[in-house]
Amino acid sequence: MTITVNGEDLDVGVDESVTDVVSRLGLPDRGIAVAVDGAVVPRGRWSSHTMTSGAVVEIVTAVQGG
């Protein structure tokens, strides 16, 4: 099935979790926030929150600066 991650289509398997998507993209599991269909998914729920076909995922990275 296909989801959209930060504006780009990504094919994922059935029952892939937020953790799976973050790992597939090679992103760290710290210093990022993930929203699925406009709702932030708390880090503690990443492994249990599975993707649905057509889901829109936004992943943002915290940056330090001022």
Side-chain angles (χ1 to χ4, degrees):
M1 71 181 163
T2 302
I3 63 173
T4 303
V5 180
N6 292 353
E8 300 288 328
D9 289 343
L10 178 68
D11 290 324
V12 296
V14 175
D15 294 330
E16 280 201 38
S17 67
V18 170
T19 300
D20 297 328
V21 171
V22 168
S23 177
R24 176 191 289 241
L25 295 172
L27 297 172
D29 62 352
R30 296 278 183 219
I32 63 173
V34 179
V36 178
D37 295 329
V40 173
V41 179
R43 186 175 317 283
R45 294 189 186 154
W46 283 10
S47 62
S48 63
H49 189 103
T50 56
M51 297 294 113
T52 57
S53 184
V56 176
V57 180
E58 294 295 326
I59 302 174
V60 295
T61 304
V63 293
Q64 190 172 13

